Amino acid sequence: MRTRSPSAEPGADRRTVQRDRCVLRCQIIHGPWNEVANAIIRDLHEDGARLRLMVRVALTGRLRLQVQPSGARHLADIVWQRGDEVGVRLIATLDDPVERQIEGLRRAAAELRQSRRGIAEDGY
C-alpha cells in the first residue's frame, strides 16, 4: 500500500512561500471597460494574493489592483476563482505614490490660495 506525504494530500497547500494573512481593502479594475469591483485582500506575499470579492463577479485575464488607503497599484493575472474568492499573481507594481502625493499637495495649496483670495475679496 502506497502512502502519500502530507503535502501530496488533495487540497493540501503546496506553496513554498509563506503567505501573510491580512485584511486590506482594494479595488479591482478589470475588463475591456475598466469595470471596478471592491474586494478585501486576505493573504499576501511578494508574488501573489488571495482576494475576497464584495460582489460576485466573473474575472478573467489581467487586472489592476489598487490597495486602499495607500493607493499602491499592481498589475495582476487571475490564477483561480472559486465563488467570491480569487487568487492572483502579481506581475508588476504601477506605483507612483510619491508623485501622487506631490500632486495632492499642489492641489491642496492651490485650494488654500483660492480660499484666501475669496476672503480678501470679501474684506474679511
Side-chain angles (χ1 to χ4, degrees):
M1 179 173 170
R2 292 175 62 185
T3 60
R4 291 183 176 175
S5 67
S7 64
E9 292 294 323
D13 190 351
R14 295 180 296 273
R15 290 184 206 97
T16 57
V17 179
Q18 178 66 36
R19 288 189 180 243
D20 296 321
R21 293 198 182 277
C22 60
V23 178
L24 297 170
R25 290 180 304 135
C26 68
Q27 287 188 324
I28 298 169
I29 298 94
H30 65 99
W33 295 284
N34 291 323
E35 298 172 63
V36 176
N38 291 318
I40 301 290
I41 300 173
R42 299 297 305 185
D43 293 325
L44 183 64
H45 72 85
E46 71 247 7
D47 294 333
R50 179 174 58 101
L51 315 174
R52 175 161 291 148
L53 299 168
M54 299 300 210
V55 176
R56 192 174 289 189
V57 61
L59 299 171
T60 58
R62 188 156 284 178
L63 55 84
R64 284 175 296 167
L65 184 67
Q66 184 166 338
V67 181
Q68 299 166 346
S70 72
R73 296 178 304 147
H74 304 278
L75 195 60
D77 283 338
I78 305 289
V79 177
W80 56 266
Q81 182 171 4
R82 288 182 213 102
D84 64 349
E85 290 199 334
V86 179
V88 297
R89 179 176 297 115
L90 301 175
I91 303 299
T93 299
L94 306 172
D95 266 352
D96 58 349
V98 172
E99 288 80 6
R100 278 189 278 149
Q101 289 175 9
I102 291 169
E103 184 58 34
L105 290 172
R106 286 182 180 149
R107 279 194 304 263
E111 289 172 8
L112 183 60
R113 283 192 300 272
Q114 205 169 33
S115 68
R116 285 184 180 167
R117 280 189 207 132
I119 292 171
E121 290 171 2
D122 290 338
Y124 294 105

